[in-house]
Amino acid sequence: MSTPPTPPVLTPVGEGTVRISWTREESVDVVRREIAAALLEHARVEVWVDPDDEAGQRVATWSGMRREGVARGVTVDGDAVDRIVYARLATDVPAETPEGFRSLLNSFLPRKRAISQMLVRDEADRVLLCRLTYKQDWDLPGGVVEVGESPQLAVAREVEEELGLTIDPGPLVLTDWLPPWGGWDDALCLVFDGGVRSPSLLDDAVLQAREIREVAFCDAAEVRERCADFTARRVEAALAALGGTGAGYTESGR
């Protein structure tokens, strides 16, 4: 006769919180039932799963636990390791409902960072660039889109915060994919049309001191001189797309 699998183990780890563990042979149904029973007495049930344990990740997910992130360098059996943290709260919407299932999927499906920038030109076709405090390269005005924020509204907010200028963004000019680089995950950079403006626009600029050193309208040669290669390529690609001679999608400006 085969030996039945060891039932899941619940270990208190804090007030109202228990951590569940199970053997590799355990089924989703058993883990789901144990979690449901534990939530009758506890506010939170969590599990730490080895990033290499794909089966454990599947069981955690389909038993209704939401992925919360990666705990780095936690101590397990005396070793510093990384563990994916999944948890279910007593107040979570049931996973079998449409809202609960969407929330479950949302917890582990990929998310991509978005950056919104604005392409502002003057009558001489020079481009508005910012010299940043945290790097030597110049860049288009803009910044990271906040969670739940419209990219178009985000670029207007960033320009107002960084330069003290109120400019209504026009249509999307370019979508530029940025590959992982220097500790950053990949991202999508969305460049919106800021229109043609008089150079006197900068007379009203109020620079955010902690981020912006300087701002100027730059010609093509200055763009190449002052910007990182991938930024210069993005500016050139955005101008080409705006003029109808280039694609609306690039990867690192190409």
Side-chain angles (χ1 to χ4, degrees), residues 160-183:
E160 186 169 4
E161 290 176 357
E162 294 181 348
L163 306 180
L165 300 174
T166 301
I167 302 177
D168 292 330
L172 180 66
V173 173
L174 180 72
T175 300
D176 186 30
W177 177 71
L178 307 178
W181 176 81

PDB file of all heavy atoms in Angstrom, residues 160-183:
ATOM      1  N   GLU A 160       4.569  69.576 -15.769  1.00  0.00           N
ATOM      2  CA  GLU A 160       4.205  70.641 -14.823  1.00  0.00           C
ATOM      3  C   GLU A 160       5.038  70.556 -13.550  1.00  0.00           C
ATOM      4  O   GLU A 160       5.490  71.579 -13.018  1.00  0.00           O
ATOM      5  CB  GLU A 160       2.718  70.559 -14.489  1.00  0.00           C
ATOM      6  CG  GLU A 160       2.229  71.712 -13.619  1.00  0.00           C
ATOM      7  CD  GLU A 160       0.719  71.783 -13.502  1.00  0.00           C
ATOM      8  OE1 GLU A 160       0.026  70.890 -14.046  1.00  0.00           O
ATOM      9  OE2 GLU A 160       0.240  72.734 -12.863  1.00  0.00           O
ATOM     10  N   GLU A 161       5.269  69.331 -13.056  1.00  0.00           N
ATOM     11  CA  GLU A 161       6.058  69.172 -11.837  1.00  0.00           C
ATOM     12  C   GLU A 161       7.525  69.528 -12.050  1.00  0.00           C
ATOM     13  O   GLU A 161       8.151  70.162 -11.195  1.00  0.00           O
ATOM     14  CB  GLU A 161       5.951  67.728 -11.327  1.00  0.00           C
ATOM     15  CG  GLU A 161       4.588  67.366 -10.769  1.00  0.00           C
ATOM     16  CD  GLU A 161       4.497  65.894 -10.354  1.00  0.00           C
ATOM     17  OE1 GLU A 161       5.486  65.150 -10.568  1.00  0.00           O
ATOM     18  OE2 GLU A 161       3.437  65.495  -9.829  1.00  0.00           O
ATOM     19  N   GLU A 162       8.086  69.113 -13.174  1.00  0.00           N
ATOM     20  CA  GLU A 162       9.520  69.281 -13.406  1.00  0.00           C
ATOM     21  C   GLU A 162       9.884  70.661 -13.937  1.00  0.00           C
ATOM     22  O   GLU A 162      10.952  71.191 -13.606  1.00  0.00           O
ATOM     23  CB  GLU A 162      10.016  68.219 -14.385  1.00  0.00           C
ATOM     24  CG  GLU A 162       9.953  66.797 -13.845  1.00  0.00           C
ATOM     25  CD  GLU A 162      10.475  65.781 -14.844  1.00  0.00           C
ATOM     26  OE1 GLU A 162      10.666  66.153 -16.030  1.00  0.00           O
ATOM     27  OE2 GLU A 162      10.693  64.628 -14.454  1.00  0.00           O
ATOM     28  N   LEU A 163       8.998  71.229 -14.773  1.00  0.00           N
ATOM     29  CA  LEU A 163       9.328  72.483 -15.452  1.00  0.00           C
ATOM     30  C   LEU A 163       8.401  73.634 -15.088  1.00  0.00           C
ATOM     31  O   LEU A 163       8.636  74.777 -15.519  1.00  0.00           O
ATOM     32  CB  LEU A 163       9.297  72.283 -16.975  1.00  0.00           C
ATOM     33  CG  LEU A 163      10.169  71.149 -17.534  1.00  0.00           C
ATOM     34  CD1 LEU A 163      10.038  71.088 -19.047  1.00  0.00           C
ATOM     35  CD2 LEU A 163      11.612  71.326 -17.128  1.00  0.00           C
ATOM     36  N   GLY A 164       7.334  73.347 -14.351  1.00  0.00           N
ATOM     37  CA  GLY A 164       6.385  74.401 -14.005  1.00  0.00           C
ATOM     38  C   GLY A 164       5.593  74.896 -15.196  1.00  0.00           C
ATOM     39  O   GLY A 164       5.062  76.012 -15.176  1.00  0.00           O
ATOM     40  N   LEU A 165       5.495  74.086 -16.256  1.00  0.00           N
ATOM     41  CA  LEU A 165       4.807  74.476 -17.484  1.00  0.00           C
ATOM     42  C   LEU A 165       3.546  73.645 -17.674  1.00  0.00           C
ATOM     43  O   LEU A 165       3.561  72.427 -17.440  1.00  0.00           O
ATOM     44  CB  LEU A 165       5.725  74.293 -18.698  1.00  0.00           C
ATOM     45  CG  LEU A 165       7.022  75.105 -18.702  1.00  0.00           C
ATOM     46  CD1 LEU A 165       7.885  74.709 -19.900  1.00  0.00           C
ATOM     47  CD2 LEU A 165       6.737  76.603 -18.723  1.00  0.00           C
ATOM     48  N   THR A 166       2.486  74.294 -18.104  1.00  0.00           N
ATOM     49  CA  THR A 166       1.240  73.595 -18.398  1.00  0.00           C
ATOM     50  C   THR A 166       1.126  73.445 -19.910  1.00  0.00           C
ATOM     51  O   THR A 166       0.891  74.425 -20.629  1.00  0.00           O
ATOM     52  CB  THR A 166       0.029  74.367 -17.848  1.00  0.00           C
ATOM     53  OG1 THR A 166       0.165  74.517 -16.431  1.00  0.00           O
ATOM     54  CG2 THR A 166      -1.261  73.620 -18.152  1.00  0.00           C
ATOM     55  N   ILE A 167       1.337  72.224 -20.389  1.00  0.00           N
ATOM     56  CA  ILE A 167       1.267  71.927 -21.821  1.00  0.00           C
ATOM     57  C   ILE A 167       0.345  70.726 -21.999  1.00  0.00           C
ATOM     58  O   ILE A 167       0.583  69.653 -21.436  1.00  0.00           O
ATOM     59  CB  ILE A 167       2.651  71.596 -22.412  1.00  0.00           C
ATOM     60  CG1 ILE A 167       3.627  72.759 -22.201  1.00  0.00           C
ATOM     61  CG2 ILE A 167       2.526  71.265 -23.892  1.00  0.00           C
ATOM     62  CD1 ILE A 167       5.040  72.475 -22.695  1.00  0.00           C
ATOM     63  N   ASP A 168      -0.708  70.916 -22.764  1.00  0.00           N
ATOM     64  CA  ASP A 168      -1.625  69.805 -23.037  1.00  0.00           C
ATOM     65  C   ASP A 168      -0.990  68.869 -24.060  1.00  0.00           C
ATOM     66  O   ASP A 168      -0.676  69.298 -25.181  1.00  0.00           O
ATOM     67  CB  ASP A 168      -2.956  70.324 -23.580  1.00  0.00           C
ATOM     68  CG  ASP A 168      -3.742  71.102 -22.535  1.00  0.00           C
ATOM     69  OD1 ASP A 168      -3.595  70.772 -21.338  1.00  0.00           O
ATOM     70  OD2 ASP A 168      -4.476  72.023 -22.914  1.00  0.00           O
ATOM     71  N   PRO A 169      -0.791  67.616 -23.712  1.00  0.00           N
ATOM     72  CA  PRO A 169      -0.182  66.684 -24.671  1.00  0.00           C
ATOM     73  C   PRO A 169      -1.131  66.348 -25.809  1.00  0.00           C
ATOM     74  O   PRO A 169      -2.339  66.176 -25.602  1.00  0.00           O
ATOM     75  CB  PRO A 169       0.121  65.448 -23.815  1.00  0.00           C
ATOM     76  CG  PRO A 169      -0.841  65.524 -22.677  1.00  0.00           C
ATOM     77  CD  PRO A 169      -1.069  66.982 -22.409  1.00  0.00           C
ATOM     78  N   GLY A 170      -0.568  66.263 -27.001  1.00  0.00           N
ATOM     79  CA  GLY A 170      -1.352  65.873 -28.154  1.00  0.00           C
ATOM     80  C   GLY A 170      -1.333  64.368 -28.337  1.00  0.00           C
ATOM     81  O   GLY A 170      -1.128  63.610 -27.379  1.00  0.00           O
ATOM     82  N   PRO A 171      -1.495  63.882 -29.560  1.00  0.00           N
ATOM     83  CA  PRO A 171      -1.560  62.440 -29.819  1.00  0.00           C
ATOM     84  C   PRO A 171      -0.237  61.739 -29.516  1.00  0.00           C
ATOM     85  O   PRO A 171       0.829  62.357 -29.469  1.00  0.00           O
ATOM     86  CB  PRO A 171      -1.889  62.360 -31.310  1.00  0.00           C
ATOM     87  CG  PRO A 171      -2.424  63.699 -31.677  1.00  0.00           C
ATOM     88  CD  PRO A 171      -1.749  64.684 -30.776  1.00  0.00           C
ATOM     89  N   LEU A 172      -0.328  60.424 -29.366  1.00  0.00           N
ATOM     90  CA  LEU A 172       0.852  59.581 -29.208  1.00  0.00           C
ATOM     91  C   LEU A 172       1.632  59.567 -30.517  1.00  0.00           C
ATOM     92  O   LEU A 172       1.066  59.295 -31.579  1.00  0.00           O
ATOM     93  CB  LEU A 172       0.431  58.163 -28.825  1.00  0.00           C
ATOM     94  CG  LEU A 172       1.550  57.141 -28.619  1.00  0.00           C
ATOM     95  CD1 LEU A 172       2.399  57.507 -27.408  1.00  0.00           C
ATOM     96  CD2 LEU A 172       0.956  55.737 -28.446  1.00  0.00           C
ATOM     97  N   VAL A 173       2.921  59.866 -30.435  1.00  0.00           N
ATOM     98  CA  VAL A 173       3.775  59.919 -31.614  1.00  0.00           C
ATOM     99  C   VAL A 173       4.552  58.620 -31.794  1.00  0.00           C
ATOM    100  O   VAL A 173       4.682  58.100 -32.905  1.00  0.00           O
ATOM    101  CB  VAL A 173       4.763  61.103 -31.504  1.00  0.00           C
ATOM    102  CG1 VAL A 173       5.766  61.065 -32.654  1.00  0.00           C
ATOM    103  CG2 VAL A 173       4.021  62.416 -31.479  1.00  0.00           C
ATOM    104  N   LEU A 174       5.080  58.085 -30.680  1.00  0.00           N
ATOM    105  CA  LEU A 174       5.986  56.938 -30.768  1.00  0.00           C
ATOM    106  C   LEU A 174       5.846  56.066 -29.531  1.00  0.00           C
ATOM    107  O   LEU A 174       5.724  56.572 -28.411  1.00  0.00           O
ATOM    108  CB  LEU A 174       7.440  57.434 -30.872  1.00  0.00           C
ATOM    109  CG  LEU A 174       8.532  56.371 -30.976  1.00  0.00           C
ATOM    110  CD1 LEU A 174       8.504  55.705 -32.352  1.00  0.00           C
ATOM    111  CD2 LEU A 174       9.904  56.966 -30.689  1.00  0.00           C
ATOM    112  N   THR A 175       5.887  54.751 -29.746  1.00  0.00           N
ATOM    113  CA  THR A 175       6.027  53.780 -28.666  1.00  0.00           C
ATOM    114  C   THR A 175       7.389  53.127 -28.829  1.00  0.00           C
ATOM    115  O   THR A 175       7.662  52.492 -29.843  1.00  0.00           O
ATOM    116  CB  THR A 175       4.927  52.703 -28.723  1.00  0.00           C
ATOM    117  OG1 THR A 175       3.652  53.330 -28.595  1.00  0.00           O
ATOM    118  CG2 THR A 175       5.107  51.695 -27.593  1.00  0.00           C
ATOM    119  N   ASP A 176       8.253  53.320 -27.830  1.00  0.00           N
ATOM    120  CA  ASP A 176       9.624  52.816 -27.911  1.00  0.00           C
ATOM    121  C   ASP A 176       9.848  51.820 -26.777  1.00  0.00           C
ATOM    122  O   ASP A 176       9.735  52.181 -25.600  1.00  0.00           O
ATOM    123  CB  ASP A 176      10.601  53.988 -27.784  1.00  0.00           C
ATOM    124  CG  ASP A 176      12.059  53.567 -28.002  1.00  0.00           C
ATOM    125  OD1 ASP A 176      12.294  52.611 -28.769  1.00  0.00           O
ATOM    126  OD2 ASP A 176      12.956  54.223 -27.420  1.00  0.00           O
ATOM    127  N   TRP A 177      10.146  50.568 -27.139  1.00  0.00           N
ATOM    128  CA  TRP A 177      10.428  49.549 -26.124  1.00  0.00           C
ATOM    129  C   TRP A 177      11.875  49.658 -25.685  1.00  0.00           C
ATOM    130  O   TRP A 177      12.787  49.714 -26.517  1.00  0.00           O
ATOM    131  CB  TRP A 177      10.154  48.153 -26.674  1.00  0.00           C
ATOM    132  CG  TRP A 177      10.487  47.065 -25.693  1.00  0.00           C
ATOM    133  CD1 TRP A 177       9.807  46.749 -24.553  1.00  0.00           C
ATOM    134  CD2 TRP A 177      11.587  46.146 -25.769  1.00  0.00           C
ATOM    135  NE1 TRP A 177      10.423  45.696 -23.910  1.00  0.00           N
ATOM    136  CE2 TRP A 177      11.517  45.309 -24.630  1.00  0.00           C
ATOM    137  CE3 TRP A 177      12.624  45.960 -26.675  1.00  0.00           C
ATOM    138  CZ2 TRP A 177      12.439  44.298 -24.397  1.00  0.00           C
ATOM    139  CZ3 TRP A 177      13.553  44.955 -26.447  1.00  0.00           C
ATOM    140  CH2 TRP A 177      13.450  44.129 -25.317  1.00  0.00           C
ATOM    141  N   LEU A 178      12.080  49.677 -24.366  1.00  0.00           N
ATOM    142  CA  LEU A 178      13.418  49.763 -23.801  1.00  0.00           C
ATOM    143  C   LEU A 178      13.779  48.417 -23.184  1.00  0.00           C
ATOM    144  O   LEU A 178      13.087  47.947 -22.272  1.00  0.00           O
ATOM    145  CB  LEU A 178      13.470  50.847 -22.722  1.00  0.00           C
ATOM    146  CG  LEU A 178      12.960  52.231 -23.134  1.00  0.00           C
ATOM    147  CD1 LEU A 178      13.032  53.191 -21.952  1.00  0.00           C
ATOM    148  CD2 LEU A 178      13.763  52.764 -24.306  1.00  0.00           C
ATOM    149  N   PRO A 179      14.829  47.756 -23.644  1.00  0.00           N
ATOM    150  CA  PRO A 179      15.210  46.453 -23.086  1.00  0.00           C
ATOM    151  C   PRO A 179      15.774  46.604 -21.671  1.00  0.00           C
ATOM    152  O   PRO A 179      16.126  47.713 -21.251  1.00  0.00           O
ATOM    153  CB  PRO A 179      16.294  45.964 -24.056  1.00  0.00           C
ATOM    154  CG  PRO A 179      16.875  47.210 -24.632  1.00  0.00           C
ATOM    155  CD  PRO A 179      15.748  48.201 -24.711  1.00  0.00           C
ATOM    156  N   PRO A 180      15.855  45.508 -20.913  1.00  0.00           N
ATOM    157  CA  PRO A 180      16.478  45.574 -19.578  1.00  0.00           C
ATOM    158  C   PRO A 180      17.882  46.148 -19.683  1.00  0.00           C
ATOM    159  O   PRO A 180      18.635  45.819 -20.612  1.00  0.00           O
ATOM    160  CB  PRO A 180      16.501  44.115 -19.121  1.00  0.00           C
ATOM    161  CG  PRO A 180      15.423  43.449 -19.912  1.00  0.00           C
ATOM    162  CD  PRO A 180      15.405  44.136 -21.242  1.00  0.00           C
ATOM    163  N   TRP A 181      18.225  46.998 -18.703  1.00  0.00           N
ATOM    164  CA  TRP A 181      19.534  47.652 -18.775  1.00  0.00           C
ATOM    165  C   TRP A 181      19.946  48.168 -17.404  1.00  0.00           C
ATOM    166  O   TRP A 181      19.138  48.807 -16.703  1.00  0.00           O
ATOM    167  CB  TRP A 181      19.479  48.820 -19.757  1.00  0.00           C
ATOM    168  CG  TRP A 181      20.743  49.629 -19.841  1.00  0.00           C
ATOM    169  CD1 TRP A 181      21.876  49.335 -20.551  1.00  0.00           C
ATOM    170  CD2 TRP A 181      21.023  50.868 -19.165  1.00  0.00           C
ATOM    171  NE1 TRP A 181      22.829  50.315 -20.373  1.00  0.00           N
ATOM    172  CE2 TRP A 181      22.329  51.271 -19.521  1.00  0.00           C
ATOM    173  CE3 TRP A 181      20.279  51.676 -18.306  1.00  0.00           C
ATOM    174  CZ2 TRP A 181      22.907  52.437 -19.047  1.00  0.00           C
ATOM    175  CZ3 TRP A 181      20.857  52.834 -17.820  1.00  0.00           C
ATOM    176  CH2 TRP A 181      22.161  53.209 -18.194  1.00  0.00           C
ATOM    177  N   GLY A 182      21.170  47.851 -16.987  1.00  0.00           N
ATOM    178  CA  GLY A 182      21.776  48.453 -15.810  1.00  0.00           C
ATOM    179  C   GLY A 182      20.958  48.341 -14.539  1.00  0.00           C
ATOM    180  O   GLY A 182      20.942  49.275 -13.739  1.00  0.00           O
ATOM    181  N   GLY A 183      20.280  47.214 -14.331  1.00  0.00           N
ATOM    182  CA  GLY A 183      19.477  47.054 -13.126  1.00  0.00           C
ATOM    183  C   GLY A 183      18.007  47.395 -13.306  1.00  0.00           C
ATOM    184  O   GLY A 183      17.187  47.125 -12.418  1.00  0.00           O
TER     185      GLY A 183
END
